[in-house]
Coordinates of all heavy atoms in Angstrom, one line a residue:
A81 N 30.9 61.6 -21.0 CA 30.1 62.9 -20.8 C 29.0 63.0 -21.8 O 27.9 63.4 -21.4 CB 31.1 64.1 -20.8
Q82 N 29.3 62.7 -23.0 CA 28.2 62.8 -24.1 C 27.1 61.8 -23.8 O 25.9 62.1 -24.0 CB 28.9 62.5 -25.4 CG 29.8 63.6 -25.9 CD 30.4 63.3 -27.2 OE1 30.3 62.2 -27.8 NE2 31.2 64.3 -27.7
S83 N 27.5 60.6 -23.3 CA 26.4 59.6 -23.0 C 25.5 60.1 -21.9 O 24.3 60.0 -21.9 CB 27.1 58.3 -22.6 OG 26.1 57.3 -22.2
I84 N 26.1 60.7 -20.8 CA 25.3 61.2 -19.7 C 24.5 62.4 -20.2 O 23.3 62.5 -19.7 CB 26.3 61.6 -18.5 CG1 26.9 60.4 -17.9 CG2 25.5 62.4 -17.5 CD1 27.9 60.6 -16.8
E85 N 25.0 63.2 -21.1 CA 24.2 64.3 -21.6 C 22.9 63.7 -22.3 O 21.9 64.3 -22.2 CB 25.0 65.1 -22.6 CG 26.0 66.1 -21.9 CD 25.3 67.1 -21.0 OE1 24.2 67.6 -21.4 OE2 25.8 67.4 -19.9
G86 N 23.1 62.6 -23.0 CA 21.9 62.0 -23.6 C 20.9 61.6 -22.6 O 19.6 61.8 -22.7
L87 N 21.3 61.0 -21.5 CA 20.4 60.6 -20.4 C 19.8 61.8 -19.8 O 18.6 61.9 -19.5 CB 21.2 59.8 -19.3 CG 20.5 59.6 -18.0 CD1 19.2 58.7 -18.2 CD2 21.4 59.0 -16.9
H88 N 20.6 62.9 -19.6 CA 20.1 64.1 -18.9 C 19.1 64.8 -19.8 O 18.2 65.4 -19.3 CB 21.3 65.0 -18.5 CG 22.0 64.4 -17.3 ND1 23.1 65.1 -16.8 CD2 21.8 63.3 -16.6 CE1 23.5 64.3 -15.7 NE2 22.8 63.3 -15.6
N89 N 19.3 64.7 -21.1 CA 18.3 65.3 -22.0 C 16.9 64.7 -21.8 O 15.9 65.3 -21.8 CB 18.7 65.2 -23.5 CG 19.8 66.1 -23.8 OD1 20.1 67.1 -23.1 ND2 20.5 65.8 -24.9
W90 N 16.9 63.3 -21.7 CA 15.7 62.6 -21.4 C 15.1 62.9 -20.1 O 13.9 63.2 -19.9 CB 15.9 61.1 -21.6 CG 14.7 60.3 -21.6 CD1 13.4 60.7 -22.0 CD2 14.5 58.9 -21.3 NE1 12.5 59.7 -21.9 CE2 13.2 58.5 -21.4 CE3 15.4 57.9 -20.8 CZ2 12.7 57.3 -21.2 CZ3 15.0 56.6 -20.6 CH2 13.6 56.3 -20.8
I91 N 15.9 62.9 -19.0 CA 15.5 63.2 -17.7 C 14.9 64.6 -17.6 O 13.8 64.8 -17.0 CB 16.6 63.1 -16.7 CG1 17.1 61.6 -16.5 CG2 16.2 63.6 -15.3 CD1 16.2 60.7 -15.9
E92 N 15.5 65.6 -18.2 CA 15.0 67.0 -18.1 C 13.7 67.1 -18.9 O 12.8 67.8 -18.5 CB 16.0 67.9 -18.7 CG 15.6 69.4 -18.5 CD 16.8 70.4 -18.9 OE1 17.8 69.9 -19.4 OE2 16.6 71.5 -18.6
M93 N 13.6 66.3 -20.0 CA 12.3 66.4 -20.7 C 11.2 65.8 -19.9 O 10.1 66.3 -19.9 CB 12.5 65.6 -22.1 CG 11.3 65.9 -23.0 SD 11.8 65.3 -24.7 CE 10.4 66.2 -25.6
V94 N 11.5 64.6 -19.3 CA 10.5 64.0 -18.4 C 10.0 65.0 -17.3 O 8.8 65.2 -17.0 CB 11.0 62.7 -17.8 CG1 10.1 62.2 -16.6 CG2 11.2 61.6 -18.8
R95 N 11.0 65.7 -16.7 CA 10.7 66.6 -15.6 C 9.9 67.8 -16.0 O 9.1 68.2 -15.3 CB 12.0 67.0 -15.0 CG 11.9 67.8 -13.7 CD 11.6 66.8 -12.5 NE 11.2 67.5 -11.3 CZ 11.1 67.0 -10.1 NH1 11.5 65.7 -9.9 NH2 10.7 67.7 -9.1
T96 N 10.2 68.3 -17.2 CA 9.6 69.6 -17.6 C 8.4 69.3 -18.6 O 7.8 70.3 -19.0 CB 10.6 70.5 -18.3 OG1 11.2 69.9 -19.4 CG2 11.7 70.8 -17.3
Y97 N 8.1 68.1 -19.0 CA 7.1 67.8 -19.9 C 5.7 68.3 -19.5 O 5.4 68.2 -18.3 CB 7.0 66.3 -20.1 CG 6.4 65.7 -21.3 CD1 6.9 66.0 -22.6 CD2 5.2 65.0 -21.3 CE1 6.3 65.5 -23.7 CE2 4.7 64.5 -22.4 CZ 5.2 64.8 -23.7 OH 4.7 64.3 -24.8
P98 N 5.0 68.9 -20.4 CA 3.7 69.6 -19.9 C 2.6 68.6 -19.6 O 1.5 69.0 -19.1 CB 3.4 70.5 -21.1 CG 4.0 69.8 -22.3 CD 5.3 69.2 -21.8
K99 N 2.8 67.3 -19.9 CA 1.8 66.3 -19.6 C 2.2 65.4 -18.4 O 3.4 65.2 -18.3 CB 1.4 65.5 -20.8 CG 1.0 66.3 -22.0 CD 0.7 65.6 -23.3 CE 0.3 66.5 -24.4 NZ 0.0 65.8 -25.7
P100 N 1.3 64.9 -17.6 CA 1.8 64.1 -16.4 C 2.4 62.8 -16.9 O 2.0 62.2 -17.8 CB 0.5 63.8 -15.7 CG -0.6 64.1 -16.6 CD -0.1 65.1 -17.6
I101 N 3.5 62.4 -16.2 CA 4.2 61.2 -16.5 C 4.3 60.4 -15.2 O 4.7 60.8 -14.1 CB 5.7 61.5 -17.0 CG1 5.6 62.3 -18.3 CG2 6.4 60.2 -17.2 CD1 7.0 62.6 -18.9
I102 N 3.9 59.1 -15.3 CA 3.8 58.2 -14.2 C 4.8 57.0 -14.4 O 4.8 56.4 -15.5 CB 2.4 57.6 -14.0 CG1 1.4 58.8 -13.8 CG2 2.3 56.7 -12.8 CD1 -0.1 58.3 -13.9
A103 N 5.6 56.7 -13.4 CA 6.4 55.5 -13.4 C 5.7 54.3 -12.8 O 5.1 54.4 -11.8 CB 7.7 55.7 -12.6
A104 N 5.7 53.2 -13.5 CA 5.1 51.9 -13.0 C 6.2 51.0 -12.8 O 6.8 50.4 -13.8 CB 4.1 51.4 -14.1
V105 N 6.5 50.7 -11.5 CA 7.7 50.0 -11.2 C 7.4 48.6 -10.6 O 6.7 48.4 -9.6 CB 8.5 50.8 -10.1 CG1 9.8 50.0 -9.7 CG2 8.9 52.1 -10.6
E106 N 7.9 47.6 -11.3 CA 8.0 46.2 -10.9 C 9.4 45.8 -10.7 O 10.3 46.4 -11.3 CB 7.3 45.3 -11.9 CG 5.8 45.5 -12.2 CD 4.9 44.9 -11.1 OE1 5.4 44.2 -10.2 OE2 3.7 45.1 -11.2
G107 N 9.7 44.8 -9.9 CA 11.1 44.4 -9.7 C 12.0 45.4 -9.1 O 11.7 45.8 -8.0
A108 N 13.0 45.9 -9.8 CA 13.9 46.8 -9.3 C 14.1 48.0 -10.1 O 13.9 48.0 -11.4 CB 15.3 46.1 -9.2
A109 N 14.3 49.2 -9.5 CA 14.7 50.4 -10.1 C 16.0 50.8 -9.5 O 16.1 51.2 -8.4 CB 13.6 51.5 -9.9
A110 N 17.1 50.6 -10.3 CA 18.4 50.7 -9.7 C 19.2 51.8 -10.5 O 18.9 52.0 -11.7 CB 19.2 49.4 -9.8
G111 N 20.0 52.5 -9.8 CA 20.9 53.5 -10.5 C 20.1 54.5 -11.3 O 19.2 55.2 -10.8
A112 N 20.4 54.6 -12.6 CA 19.7 55.5 -13.5 C 18.2 55.2 -13.6 O 17.4 56.0 -13.9 CB 20.4 55.6 -14.8
G113 N 17.9 53.9 -13.4 CA 16.5 53.5 -13.4 C 15.7 54.2 -12.2 O 14.6 54.6 -12.4
F114 N 16.3 54.2 -11.1 CA 15.8 54.9 -9.9 C 15.7 56.4 -10.2 O 14.7 57.1 -10.0 CB 16.7 54.7 -8.7 CG 16.1 55.1 -7.4 CD1 16.7 54.7 -6.2 CD2 14.9 55.7 -7.2 CE1 16.2 55.1 -4.9 CE2 14.3 56.1 -6.0 CZ 15.0 55.8 -4.8
S115 N 16.7 57.0 -10.9 CA 16.7 58.4 -11.2 C 15.6 58.7 -12.2 O 14.9 59.7 -12.0 CB 18.0 58.8 -11.9 OG 19.2 58.6 -11.1
L116 N 15.3 57.8 -13.1 CA 14.2 58.0 -14.1 C 12.9 58.0 -13.4 O 12.0 58.8 -13.6 CB 14.3 56.9 -15.2 CG 13.2 56.9 -16.2 CD1 13.1 58.2 -17.0 CD2 13.3 55.7 -17.1
A117 N 12.7 57.1 -12.5 CA 11.4 57.0 -11.7 C 11.2 58.3 -10.9 O 10.1 58.8 -10.9 CB 11.4 55.8 -10.8
L118 N 12.3 58.8 -10.3 CA 12.2 60.0 -9.5 C 11.9 61.2 -10.4 O 11.2 62.2 -9.9 CB 13.5 60.3 -8.8 CG 13.9 59.4 -7.6 CD1 15.3 59.6 -7.2 CD2 12.9 59.6 -6.4
A119 N 12.3 61.2 -11.6 CA 12.0 62.3 -12.5 C 10.5 62.4 -12.9 O 10.0 63.4 -13.3 CB 12.9 62.2 -13.8
C120 N 9.8 61.3 -12.8 CA 8.4 61.2 -13.2 C 7.6 62.0 -12.1 O 8.0 62.2 -11.0 CB 7.9 59.8 -13.3 SG 8.7 58.8 -14.6
D121 N 6.4 62.4 -12.5 CA 5.5 63.2 -11.6 C 4.9 62.3 -10.5 O 4.7 62.8 -9.4 CB 4.4 63.8 -12.4 CG 4.9 64.7 -13.5 OD1 5.7 65.6 -13.2 OD2 4.6 64.5 -14.7
M122 N 4.7 61.1 -10.8 CA 4.2 60.2 -9.7 C 4.8 58.8 -10.0 O 5.2 58.4 -11.1 CB 2.6 60.1 -9.8 CG 2.0 61.4 -9.2 SD 0.2 61.3 -9.1 CE -0.3 62.0 -10.7
V123 N 4.8 58.0 -8.9 CA 5.4 56.7 -8.9 C 4.4 55.7 -8.4 O 3.9 55.8 -7.2 CB 6.7 56.6 -8.2 CG1 7.3 55.2 -8.2 CG2 7.7 57.6 -8.7
V124 N 4.1 54.6 -9.1 CA 3.3 53.5 -8.7 C 4.3 52.3 -8.6 O 5.0 52.0 -9.6 CB 2.1 53.2 -9.6 CG1 1.4 51.9 -9.2 CG2 1.1 54.3 -9.6
A125 N 4.3 51.6 -7.5 CA 5.3 50.5 -7.4 C 4.6 49.3 -6.8 O 3.8 49.4 -5.9 CB 6.5 51.0 -6.5
A126 N 5.0 48.1 -7.3 CA 4.6 46.9 -6.7 C 5.1 46.8 -5.2 O 6.2 47.4 -4.9 CB 5.1 45.7 -7.5
R127 N 4.3 46.2 -4.4 CA 4.7 46.1 -3.0 C 6.1 45.5 -2.8 O 6.8 45.7 -1.8 CB 3.7 45.4 -2.1 CG 2.3 46.2 -2.1 CD 1.3 45.4 -1.2 NE 0.0 46.1 -1.3 CZ -0.3 47.2 -0.5 NH1 0.6 47.6 0.4 NH2 -1.4 47.8 -0.6
N128 N 6.4 44.6 -3.7 CA 7.7 43.8 -3.5 C 8.8 44.5 -4.4 O 9.9 43.9 -4.5 CB 7.6 42.4 -3.8 CG 7.1 42.1 -5.3 OD1 6.7 43.1 -6.0 ND2 7.2 40.9 -5.7
A129 N 8.6 45.6 -4.9 CA 9.6 46.3 -5.7 C 10.7 46.9 -4.8 O 10.4 47.2 -3.6 CB 9.0 47.4 -6.6
V130 N 11.9 47.0 -5.3 CA 13.0 47.6 -4.6 C 13.6 48.7 -5.4 O 13.6 48.7 -6.6 CB 14.0 46.6 -4.2 CG1 13.4 45.5 -3.2 CG2 14.6 45.9 -5.4
F131 N 14.2 49.7 -4.7 CA 14.8 50.8 -5.3 C 16.2 50.9 -4.7 O 16.4 50.8 -3.5 CB 14.1 52.1 -5.0 CG 12.7 52.2 -5.6 CD1 11.7 51.5 -5.0 CD2 12.4 52.9 -6.7 CE1 10.4 51.5 -5.5 CE2 11.1 53.0 -7.2 CZ 10.1 52.3 -6.7
V132 N 17.2 51.1 -5.5 CA 18.6 51.2 -5.0 C 19.4 52.2 -5.8 O 19.4 52.2 -7.0 CB 19.3 49.8 -5.0 CG1 19.3 49.2 -6.4 CG2 20.7 50.0 -4.5
M133 N 20.0 53.2 -5.1 CA 21.0 54.1 -5.7 C 22.3 53.4 -5.7 O 23.1 53.5 -4.7 CB 21.0 55.4 -4.9 CG 19.9 56.4 -5.3 SD 20.1 56.8 -7.0 CE 18.5 57.6 -7.3
A134 N 22.6 52.6 -6.7 CA 23.7 51.7 -6.7 C 25.1 52.3 -7.0 O 26.1 51.6 -7.0 CB 23.4 50.6 -7.8
Y135 N 25.1 53.6 -7.2 CA 26.3 54.3 -7.7 C 27.5 54.0 -6.7 O 28.6 53.7 -7.1 CB 26.1 55.8 -7.9 CG 25.0 56.1 -8.9 CD1 23.7 56.3 -8.5 CD2 25.3 56.2 -10.2 CE1 22.7 56.6 -9.4 CE2 24.3 56.5 -11.2 CZ 23.0 56.7 -10.7 OH 22.1 57.0 -11.7
S136 N 27.3 54.3 -5.4 CA 28.4 54.2 -4.5 C 28.9 52.8 -4.3 O 30.0 52.6 -3.9 CB 28.0 54.8 -3.1 OG 27.0 54.0 -2.5
N137 N 28.0 51.8 -4.7 CA 28.5 50.4 -4.6 C 29.6 50.1 -5.6 O 30.3 49.1 -5.4 CB 27.3 49.5 -4.9 CG 26.2 49.6 -3.8 OD1 26.5 50.1 -2.7 ND2 25.0 49.2 -4.1
V138 N 29.7 50.9 -6.7 CA 30.7 50.7 -7.6 C 31.6 51.9 -7.8 O 32.2 52.2 -8.8 CB 30.2 50.3 -9.0 CG1 29.6 48.9 -9.0 CG2 29.1 51.3 -9.5
A139 N 31.7 52.6 -6.7 CA 32.6 53.8 -6.6 C 32.3 54.9 -7.5 O 33.2 55.6 -8.0 CB 34.1 53.4 -6.8
L140 N 31.0 55.1 -7.8 CA 30.5 56.2 -8.6 C 29.6 57.1 -7.9 O 29.1 56.8 -6.8 CB 29.8 55.6 -9.9 CG 30.7 54.8 -10.8 CD1 29.8 54.2 -11.9 CD2 31.8 55.6 -11.4
S141 N 29.4 58.3 -8.4 CA 28.4 59.3 -7.9 C 27.2 59.3 -8.9 O 27.3 58.8 -10.0 CB 29.1 60.7 -7.8 OG 29.6 61.0 -9.1
P142 N 26.1 59.8 -8.4 CA 24.9 59.7 -9.2 C 24.8 60.6 -10.4 O 25.5 61.5 -10.6 CB 23.8 60.1 -8.2 CG 24.5 61.0 -7.2 CD 25.9 60.4 -7.1
D143 N 23.9 60.1 -11.3 CA 23.6 60.9 -12.5 C 22.1 60.8 -12.7 O 21.4 60.3 -11.8 CB 24.3 60.5 -13.8 CG 24.0 59.0 -14.2 OD1 23.1 58.4 -13.5 OD2 24.7 58.5 -15.1
G144 N 21.6 61.4 -13.7 CA 20.1 61.3 -14.0 C 19.3 62.2 -13.0 O 18.1 62.0 -12.9
G145 N 20.0 63.2 -12.3 CA 19.2 64.0 -11.4 C 18.9 63.4 -10.1 O 18.1 64.0 -9.3
A146 N 19.5 62.3 -9.8 CA 19.1 61.6 -8.6 C 19.4 62.4 -7.3 O 18.5 62.5 -6.4 CB 19.9 60.3 -8.4
S147 N 20.5 63.1 -7.2 CA 20.8 63.8 -6.0 C 19.9 65.0 -5.9 O 19.5 65.4 -4.8 CB 22.3 64.3 -6.0 OG 22.6 65.0 -7.2
W148 N 19.5 65.7 -7.1 CA 18.6 66.8 -7.1 C 17.2 66.3 -6.6 O 16.6 67.0 -5.7 CB 18.6 67.4 -8.4 CG 17.8 68.7 -8.5 CD1 18.2 70.0 -8.3 CD2 16.4 68.8 -8.8 NE1 17.2 70.9 -8.5 CE2 16.1 70.2 -8.7 CE3 15.3 67.9 -9.0 CZ2 14.8 70.7 -8.9 CZ3 14.1 68.4 -9.2 CH2 13.8 69.8 -9.2
S149 N 16.7 65.2 -7.2 CA 15.4 64.8 -6.9 C 15.3 64.4 -5.4 O 14.3 64.7 -4.8 CB 15.0 63.6 -7.8 OG 14.9 64.0 -9.2
L150 N 16.2 63.6 -4.9 CA 16.2 63.2 -3.5 C 16.3 64.3 -2.6 O 15.7 64.4 -1.5 CB 17.2 62.1 -3.3 CG 16.9 60.7 -3.9 CD1 18.1 59.8 -3.7 CD2 15.7 60.1 -3.4
A151 N 17.1 65.3 -2.9 CA 17.3 66.5 -2.1 C 16.0 67.3 -2.0 O 15.7 67.9 -1.0 CB 18.4 67.4 -2.6
Q152 N 15.2 67.3 -3.1 CA 14.0 68.0 -3.1 C 12.9 67.3 -2.3 O 12.0 67.9 -1.7 CB 13.5 68.2 -4.5 CG 14.4 69.0 -5.4 CD 14.4 70.5 -5.0 OE1 13.4 71.0 -4.5 NE2 15.5 71.2 -5.2
A153 N 13.0 65.9 -2.4 CA 11.9 65.1 -1.8 C 12.0 64.7 -0.4 O 11.0 64.5 0.3 CB 11.7 63.8 -2.7
L154 N 13.3 64.7 0.1 CA 13.5 64.1 1.4 C 14.4 64.9 2.3 O 15.2 65.8 1.8 CB 14.2 62.7 1.2 CG 13.4 61.6 0.5 CD1 14.3 60.4 0.2 CD2 12.2 61.2 1.3
P155 N 14.4 64.7 3.6 CA 15.4 65.4 4.5 C 16.8 65.0 4.1 O 17.0 63.9 3.5 CB 15.0 64.8 5.9 CG 13.6 64.4 5.8 CD 13.4 63.9 4.4
R156 N 17.7 65.9 4.3 CA 19.1 65.7 3.9 C 19.7 64.3 4.4 O 20.4 63.6 3.7 CB 20.0 66.8 4.3 CG 21.5 66.7 4.0 CD 22.3 67.9 4.5 NE 23.7 67.6 4.3 CZ 24.4 67.8 3.1 NH1 23.7 68.3 2.1 NH2 25.7 67.6 3.1
Q157 N 19.4 64.0 5.6 CA 19.9 62.8 6.2 C 19.4 61.5 5.5 O 20.2 60.6 5.3 CB 19.6 62.7 7.7 CG 20.2 63.7 8.6 CD 19.6 65.1 8.5 OE1 18.6 65.3 7.8 NE2 20.1 66.1 9.3
I158 N 18.2 61.5 5.1 CA 17.6 60.3 4.4 C 18.2 60.3 3.0 O 18.6 59.2 2.5 CB 16.1 60.4 4.4 CG1 15.5 60.4 5.8 CG2 15.5 59.2 3.6 CD1 15.8 59.2 6.6
A159 N 18.3 61.4 2.3 CA 18.8 61.4 1.0 C 20.3 61.0 1.0 O 20.7 60.2 0.1 CB 18.7 62.8 0.4
T160 N 21.0 61.4 2.0 CA 22.4 61.0 2.1 C 22.5 59.5 2.3 O 23.4 58.9 1.7 CB 23.1 61.8 3.3 OG1 23.0 63.2 3.1 CG2 24.5 61.4 3.5
E161 N 21.7 59.0 3.2 CA 21.7 57.5 3.4 C 21.5 56.8 2.2 O 22.2 55.8 1.8 CB 20.7 57.2 4.5 CG 20.5 55.7 4.7 CD 19.2 55.3 5.3 OE1 18.5 56.2 6.0 OE2 18.7 54.2 5.2
I162 N 20.5 57.1 1.4 CA 20.1 56.4 0.2 C 21.2 56.5 -0.8 O 21.6 55.5 -1.5 CB 18.8 57.0 -0.4 CG1 17.6 56.6 0.6 CG2 18.5 56.4 -1.8 CD1 16.3 57.3 0.2
L163 N 21.9 57.7 -1.0 CA 22.9 57.8 -2.0 C 24.2 57.2 -1.6 O 25.0 56.7 -2.4 CB 23.1 59.3 -2.3 CG 21.9 59.9 -3.2 CD1 22.0 61.4 -3.2 CD2 21.9 59.4 -4.6
M164 N 24.6 57.4 -0.3 CA 25.9 56.9 0.2 C 26.0 55.4 0.5 O 27.0 54.8 0.2 CB 26.4 57.8 1.4 CG 26.8 59.2 1.0 SD 27.6 59.9 2.5 CE 28.0 61.5 1.7
C165 N 24.9 54.9 1.1 CA 24.9 53.5 1.5 C 24.6 52.5 0.4 O 25.1 51.4 0.5 CB 24.0 53.3 2.7 SG 24.4 54.2 4.2
G166 N 23.9 52.9 -0.6 CA 23.6 52.1 -1.7 C 22.7 50.8 -1.3 O 22.9 49.8 -2.0
D167 N 21.9 51.0 -0.3 CA 21.1 49.8 0.2 C 19.9 49.7 -0.7 O 19.4 50.6 -1.4 CB 20.7 50.0 1.6 CG 21.8 50.0 2.6 OD1 22.8 49.3 2.3 OD2 21.7 50.6 3.6
R168 N 19.3 48.5 -0.7 CA 18.1 48.2 -1.4 C 16.9 48.8 -0.6 O 16.8 48.3 0.6 CB 17.9 46.7 -1.7 CG 18.9 46.2 -2.7 CD 19.0 44.7 -2.6 NE 17.8 44.0 -2.9 CZ 17.4 43.6 -4.2 NH1 18.2 43.8 -5.2 NH2 16.3 42.9 -4.4
I169 N 16.2 49.7 -1.1 CA 15.1 50.3 -0.3 C 13.8 49.7 -0.8 O 13.4 49.8 -1.9 CB 15.1 51.9 -0.6 CG1 16.5 52.5 -0.4 CG2 14.1 52.5 0.4 CD1 17.1 52.3 1.0
P170 N 13.0 49.1 0.2 CA 11.7 48.5 -0.2 C 10.7 49.6 -0.6 O 10.8 50.8 -0.1 CB 11.3 47.8 1.1 CG 12.5 47.7 1.9 CD 13.4 48.8 1.6
A171 N 9.9 49.3 -1.6 CA 8.8 50.2 -2.0 C 8.0 50.7 -0.8 O 7.6 51.9 -0.8 CB 8.0 49.6 -3.1
E172 N 7.8 49.8 0.1 CA 7.0 50.2 1.3 C 7.6 51.4 2.0 O 6.9 52.3 2.5 CB 6.8 49.0 2.2 CG 6.1 47.8 1.7 CD 4.6 47.9 2.0 OE1 4.1 48.9 2.5 OE2 3.9 46.9 1.6
R173 N 8.9 51.4 2.2 CA 9.6 52.5 2.9 C 9.5 53.8 2.1 O 9.2 54.8 2.7 CB 11.1 52.2 3.2 CG 11.7 53.2 4.0 CD 13.2 53.0 4.2 NE 13.8 54.1 5.0 CZ 15.0 54.4 5.1 NH1 15.9 53.6 4.5 NH2 15.5 55.4 5.9
L174 N 9.7 53.7 0.8 CA 9.6 54.9 0.0 C 8.1 55.4 -0.1 O 7.9 56.7 -0.2 CB 10.1 54.7 -1.4 CG 11.6 54.5 -1.6 CD1 12.0 54.3 -3.0 CD2 12.4 55.6 -0.9
H175 N 7.2 54.5 0.1 CA 5.8 55.0 0.2 C 5.6 55.8 1.5 O 4.9 56.8 1.5 CB 4.8 53.8 0.1 CG 3.4 54.1 0.1 ND1 2.6 53.9 1.2 CD2 2.6 54.7 -0.8 CE1 1.4 54.3 0.9 NE2 1.3 54.8 -0.3
T176 N 6.1 55.2 2.5 CA 6.0 55.9 3.8 C 6.7 57.3 3.8 O 6.2 58.3 4.4 CB 6.7 55.1 4.9 OG1 6.0 53.8 5.0 CG2 6.6 55.7 6.3
L177 N 7.8 57.4 3.1 CA 8.6 58.6 3.0 C 7.9 59.6 2.0 O 8.4 60.8 1.9 CB 10.0 58.3 2.5 CG 10.9 57.6 3.6 CD1 12.2 57.2 2.9 CD2 11.2 58.6 4.7
G178 N 7.0 59.1 1.2 CA 6.3 60.0 0.3 C 6.9 60.1 -1.1 O 6.4 60.9 -1.9
V179 N 7.8 59.2 -1.4 CA 8.4 59.2 -2.7 C 7.6 58.4 -3.7 O 7.5 58.7 -4.9 CB 9.9 58.6 -2.7 CG1 10.5 58.5 -4.1 CG2 10.7 59.6 -1.8
V180 N 7.0 57.3 -3.2 CA 6.1 56.4 -4.0 C 4.7 56.8 -3.7 O 4.3 56.9 -2.5 CB 6.3 54.9 -3.7 CG1 5.2 54.1 -4.3 CG2 7.7 54.5 -4.2
N181 N 3.9 57.1 -4.7 CA 2.5 57.5 -4.5 C 1.5 56.4 -4.1 O 0.7 56.6 -3.2 CB 1.9 58.2 -5.8 CG 2.7 59.5 -6.1 OD1 3.7 59.5 -6.7 ND2 2.1 60.6 -5.7
Q182 N 1.6 55.3 -4.9 CA 0.7 54.2 -4.7 C 1.5 52.9 -4.7 O 2.4 52.7 -5.5 CB -0.4 54.2 -5.7 CG -1.4 55.4 -5.7 CD -2.5 55.2 -6.7 OE1 -3.0 54.1 -6.9 NE2 -3.0 56.3 -7.2

Side-chain angles (χ1 to χ4, degrees):
Q82 289 175 358
S83 176
I84 291 177
E85 283 299 319
L87 170 63
H88 287 180
N89 287 340
W90 189 24
I91 293 292
E92 187 171 10
M93 192 167 194
V94 168
R95 189 77 191 195
T96 61
Y97 200 62
K99 301 176 183 183
I101 300 182
I102 303 168
V105 180
E106 297 278 355
F114 194 174
S115 300
L116 177 60
L118 288 169
C120 295
D121 300 303
M122 286 185 269
V123 179
V124 174
R127 293 181 184 279
N128 61 348
V130 294
F131 297 75
V132 54
M133 278 298 165
Y135 300 94
S136 68
N137 295 340
V138 290
L140 296 175
S141 54
D143 60 7
S147 56
W148 187 91
S149 294
L150 289 174
Q152 297 293 326
L154 298 170
R156 178 180 172 84
Q157 291 80 359
I158 301 297
T160 300
E161 173 198 341
I162 292 173
L163 288 167
M164 287 190 177
C165 294
D167 294 330
R168 292 161 63 90
I169 312 296
E172 297 268 5
R173 184 183 180 197
L174 289 184
H175 183 252
T176 300
L177 290 170
V179 175
V180 168
N181 295 83
Q182 293 187 34

